Amino acid sequence: MKDKYVISSPVTESEFEAYFALRWEVLRKPWGQPQGSEKDEQENQATQLMAVDEKGGICGVCRLDSIDQSTAQIRYMAVKPSLHGQGIGRDLLLQAERNAKEKGFQRIFLQSREKACGFYERQGYHTIEKTFLLFNKIQHFSMEKSLF
């Protein structure tokens, strides 16, 4: 799959619709959450990234937020389940890290679902602590990585 997708940011209305549709499909729908729950009030201040295949389909998404002057946060990371293991998530994460460095952030923080902790550990993140249960079902762990 490598080289069959590019990392970009949604710009057009149809790109944003596809971006949010994948976020909902992967991160909310399996737990019975309504459409719209994949968005929050920080969308306009964040950097959205997406992996787009050669046919224009969205393969994966993530969002980069600012916590404070030195810390960025990765949120809403999702890759189509049929495409897991092909490097899409890693490439999205690397691009988010590059963007964070360019903006002067010194570290990245995230809340990982338990089943994704191994993925983030392989990318150099370390676990800080066990945190919350999303939808009373999905255990999360706070993780971080220094950018320097």
Side-chain angles (χ1 to χ4, degrees):
M1 181 78 181
K2 184 74 173 135
D3 298 329
K4 292 190 178 186
Y5 59 89
V6 295
I7 307 294
S8 63
S9 293
V11 177
T12 68
E13 186 175 332
S14 63
E15 287 174 338
F16 273 104
E17 285 174 11
Y19 171 88
F20 288 121
L22 180 63
R23 267 181 29 183
W24 176 73
E25 188 75 33
V26 175
L27 300 175
R28 298 295 188 258
K29 182 181 178 182
W31 291 272
Q33 299 303 304
Q35 284 188 300
S37 65
E38 75 282 1
K39 299 177 186 178
D40 65 32
E41 64 283 347
Q42 300 299 317
E43 299 299 341
N44 292 333
Q45 292 85 32
T47 300
Q48 286 92 359
L49 296 171
M50 60 186 186
V52 182
D53 68 23
E54 52 200 5
K55 295 179 183 177
I58 308 283
C59 307
V61 298
C62 78
R63 190 175 91 183
L64 182 68
D65 290 354
S66 171
I67 293 178
D68 59 37
Q69 287 185 337
S70 64
T71 308
Q73 181 176 8
I74 299 289
R75 299 197 64 209
Y76 299 108
M77 179 80 153
V79 173
K80 280 187 178 182
S82 63
L83 300 175
H84 283 185
Q86 298 187 34
I88 297 167
R90 180 197 63 232
D91 290 345
L92 280 165
L93 195 58
L94 288 172
Q95 184 60 53
E97 290 173 4
R98 282 191 291 273
N99 287 11
K101 281 177 115 172
E102 288 170 6
K103 293 178 180 187
F105 293 108
Q106 297 172 348
R107 77 177 188 116
I108 293 191
F109 173 84
L110 57 86
Q111 292 283 350
S112 174
R113 292 176 180 207
E114 187 169 21
K115 72 177 189 172
C117 287
F119 163 77
Y120 290 112
E121 288 169 353
R122 289 188 298 277
Q123 310 314 312
Y125 289 77
H126 70 276
T127 302
I128 301 168
E129 64 184 344
K130 184 177 183 177
T131 54
F132 64 93
L133 273 178
L134 182 63
F135 312 132
N136 293 316
K137 297 176 186 173
I138 309 166
Q139 184 61 60
H140 278 67
F141 293 82
S142 60
M143 302 182 81
E144 68 179 358
K145 178 180 181 178
S146 173
L147 293 173
F148 297 96

